[in-house]
Amino acid sequence: MQLITATASPFARKVRVLLKETGQEGDVEEVMAATLPTAPDPTVTAANPLSKIPALIRPDGPALYDSRVITRFLDARCGGKLYPENQIWDVLTLEATADAMMDAAVLMTYELRLRPEGMRFEDWIEGQWGKIEGALDALNTRWMSHLSGPLDMGQIAVGCALGYLDFRHDARGWRKGRDALDDWFAVFCERESMKATKPA
């Protein structure tokens, strides 16, 4: 199998972390691609008609895309440990929260990096950050017991979302007033899978 990926993508990082945590990295070749909304990469478009990363090319079926589809597939392939049935709704909700944070943060990045300075919509940027702050507050107040439990895909997604905030929006200071989440992330980001996939 081939994973169409990019080191900066938090969505692709979720998949890469899962591969390492489940010992499947030897089964999947990583194919690096650079794609932008204004300049789609043909390699990405061939695997995903939406021209988004990640995409998983399988030898026995059509390519899979959307990180949550890919992670469910790869987790099922190795026994379903990261989506435990007894906590499935919590795991999926936590993963969806993290994915929404990533989506808002990536949209902010595009607005700041791709749109000419005089055309940037500052209120829209702040609106995206407001979504992220709401999610951060929820994680810090409602989800710490789950985050501190056995490893699952919700935790991996949150770790990748926070890592992306550090990578692209560090000046926003997401840690302020969120000590519990900050402490959790300080430990989580020391996992070998997180260190090996850290964007640079």
Side-chain angles (χ1 to χ4, degrees):
M1 292 185 289
Q2 291 183 317
L3 178 68
I4 310 299
T5 185
T7 56
S9 167
F11 295 101
R13 188 182 187 190
K14 284 173 50 184
V15 180
R16 297 171 68 219
V17 169
L18 178 148
L19 289 172
K20 294 183 184 305
E21 290 286 352
T22 59
Q24 295 184 80
E25 63 264 49
D27 299 336
V28 179
E29 176 192 0
E30 292 187 2
V31 178
M32 295 294 167
T35 192
L36 294 170
T38 54
D41 184 312
T43 302
V44 179
T45 305
N48 178 355
L50 300 171
S51 299
K52 290 185 174 183
I53 288 171
L56 183 70
I57 299 174
R58 302 177 293 166
D60 56 352
L64 301 179
Y65 47 88
D66 189 282
S67 63
R68 278 180 277 187
V69 174
I70 297 171
T71 54
R72 286 298 294 267
F73 170 79
L74 291 171
D75 185 59
R77 185 174 180 264
C78 68
K81 297 176 182 177
L82 295 177
Y83 289 96
E85 193 59 37
N86 65 334
Q87 289 192 303
I88 191 62
W89 302 117
D90 289 344
V91 173
L92 291 176
T93 299
L94 190 57
E95 184 179 15
T97 301
D99 281 6
M101 292 171 61
M102 294 181 204
D103 190 47
V106 168
L107 290 174
M108 288 174 64
T109 299
Y110 286 159
E111 186 76 8
L112 292 167
R113 299 184 71 190
L114 299 181
R115 194 181 296 275
E117 187 172 353
M119 298 175 63
R120 292 175 189 161
F121 190 179
E122 295 298 332
D123 288 347
W124 188 87
I125 293 172
E126 293 307 314
Q128 298 304 315
W129 183 251
K131 295 176 186 179
I132 294 169
E133 286 200 309
L136 289 167
D137 290 340
L139 293 172
N140 191 66
T141 58
R142 300 180 215 160
W143 287 97
M144 292 314 304
S145 61
H146 186 105
L147 288 172
S148 300
L151 181 70
D152 61 37
M153 200 60 220
Q155 294 176 22
I156 291 173
V158 169
C160 292
L162 297 179
Y164 189 76
L165 294 183
D166 279 351
F167 179 52
R168 293 294 194 204
H169 305 291
D170 186 51
R172 293 274 181 170
W174 69 261
R175 292 171 172 80
K176 186 177 180 180
R178 303 180 183 100
D179 293 345
L181 188 58
D182 181 18
D183 291 345
W184 173 82
F185 184 60
V187 174
F188 193 81
C189 68
E190 289 301 312
R191 298 182 74 91
E192 288 304 316
S193 61
M194 290 292 287
K195 290 195 287 187
T197 59
K198 185 176 180 179

